[in-house]
């Protein structure tokens, strides 16, 4: 049996694993029980009553959170010509075409967090789709990362844009900030993400849509959220 650490014991004494918490109260608890020596990330997990094997229920998208995520994202842009110049001017960390494709392919290089591409570059990027795809880095129009307007895409990502995607178990994991954020900022990010998941509810969804919503920090316990009041 795994040994319960002193830290975990202290956390467990402060929370009720069976209780449904008001989202504001849950955020306060997550902040107060995050005692790691680094600025822990705050994550929301939605368990949805959907069947991801059905095309119309494969949720995927992106949202610019009101107060960002607290993480500076490194952006790689696949572009050529004027679009490449625009990407550099907009603050992209890496800009290129065949050279970057070859670097990723031959060196297994992944010193970036998000990939943006112009539509014209997608046939070439397809050659490394099997490399980028499993890491969740393949550009996609649904998340705004395949676009002729690379300046806007870079600006949104740097401002705190998060992407989300339902997994095979019907869960959507998304970061909403850091425990160092003010309470009000985490609350606004929470509500923005919650409303986004409600907004994209498929018309074919039946029964209870959100079966479980959990809030946690990197090293903390998950708190179940009472959603009816929201």
């Amino acid at each position: 049996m795994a040994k319960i650490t002193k830290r975990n014991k202290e956390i467990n004494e402060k929370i009720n694993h069976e209780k449904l918490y008001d989202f504001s109260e849950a955020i306060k608890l997550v902040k107060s029980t995050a005692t790691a020596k680094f600025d822990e990330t705050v994550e929301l997990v939605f368990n949805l009553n959907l069947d991801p094997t059905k095309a119309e229920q494969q949720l995927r998208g992106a949202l610019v959170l009101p107060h960002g995520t607290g993480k500076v994202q490194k952006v790689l842009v696949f572009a050529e010509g004027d679009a490449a110049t625009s990407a550099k001017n907009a603050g992209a960390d890496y800009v290129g075409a065949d050279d970057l494709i070859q670097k990723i392919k031959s060196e297994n290089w992944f010193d970036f967090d998000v990939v943006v591409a112009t539509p014209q570059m997608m046939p070439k990027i397809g050659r490394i789709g099997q490399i980028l795809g499993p890491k969740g880095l393949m550009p996609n129009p649904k998340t705004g990362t395949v676009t002729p307007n690379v300046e806007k895409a870079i600006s949104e990502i740097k401002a705190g844009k998060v992407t989300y995607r339902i997994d095979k178990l019907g869960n959507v994991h998304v970061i909403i900030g850091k425990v160092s954020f003010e309470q009000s900022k985490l609350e606004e990010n929470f509500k923005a993400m919650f409303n986004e998941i409600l907004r994209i509810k498929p018309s074919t969804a039946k029964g209870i849509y959100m079966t479980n919503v959990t809030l946690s920090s990197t090293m903390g316990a998950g708190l179940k959220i009472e959603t009816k009041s929201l």
Side-chain angles (χ1 to χ4, degrees), residues 67-83:
H67 303 289
T69 64
K71 179 182 178 180
V72 178
Q73 302 270 51
K74 284 188 178 181
V75 183
L76 181 152
V77 179
F78 287 114
E80 296 176 309
D82 292 341

Side-chain angles (χ1 to χ4, degrees), residues 76-79 115-122 125 139 144-148 150:
L76 181 152
V77 179
F78 287 114
V115 178
V116 175
T118 59
Q120 293 82 0
M121 287 298 301
M122 289 308 293
I125 299 171
T145 49
V146 177
T147 173
V150 293

Side-chain angles (χ1 to χ4, degrees), residues 72-180:
V72 178
Q73 302 270 51
K74 284 188 178 181
V75 183
L76 181 152
V77 179
F78 287 114
E80 296 176 309
D82 292 341
T85 301
S86 295
K88 292 175 182 177
N89 293 337
D93 297 276
Y94 306 103
V95 181
D98 294 299
D99 55 334
L100 292 183
I101 291 173
Q102 184 58 35
K103 185 176 178 67
I104 292 169
K105 190 174 181 179
S106 62
E107 300 178 19
N108 198 35
W109 174 70
F110 292 103
D111 186 28
F112 48 89
D113 303 298
V114 185
V115 178
V116 175
T118 59
Q120 293 82 0
M121 287 298 301
M122 289 308 293
K124 290 185 177 182
I125 299 171
R127 302 201 302 264
I128 55 172
Q130 291 182 329
I131 300 174
L132 296 177
K135 293 182 177 292
L137 293 169
M138 191 67 180
N140 190 296
K142 291 183 179 180
T143 60
T145 49
V146 177
T147 173
N149 191 346
V150 293
E151 290 180 84
K152 180 182 178 183
I154 295 165
S155 175
E156 289 180 342
I157 292 167
K158 294 291 187 179
K161 184 177 185 178
V162 293
T163 59
Y164 57 84
R165 184 176 187 177
I166 192 168
D167 64 22
K168 61 183 179 180
L169 298 177
N171 298 313
V172 175
H173 298 253
V174 66
I175 292 170
I176 63 165
K178 297 283 188 178
V179 294
S180 60

Side-chain angles (χ1 to χ4, degrees), residues 9-71:
K9 185 177 180 180
E10 290 175 349
I11 292 174
N12 288 333
E13 288 175 350
K14 293 181 179 180
I15 67 173
N16 182 343
H17 291 282
E18 303 304 318
K19 178 180 177 179
L20 290 177
Y21 286 91
D22 171 80
F23 84 100
S24 181
E25 182 185 4
I27 290 172
K28 288 180 182 178
L29 271 173
V30 165
K31 284 172 64 66
S32 66
T33 56
T35 57
K37 294 181 179 180
F38 61 93
D39 194 5
E40 296 182 49
T41 295
V42 181
E43 183 183 45
L44 258 180
V45 181
F46 298 87
N47 181 252
L48 306 177
N49 183 25
L50 297 177
D51 183 357
T53 63
K54 296 180 180 179
E56 68 276 12
Q57 295 189 9
Q58 293 178 357
L59 303 188
R60 184 171 187 174
L63 177 71
V64 179
L65 294 173
H67 303 289
T69 64
K71 179 182 178 180

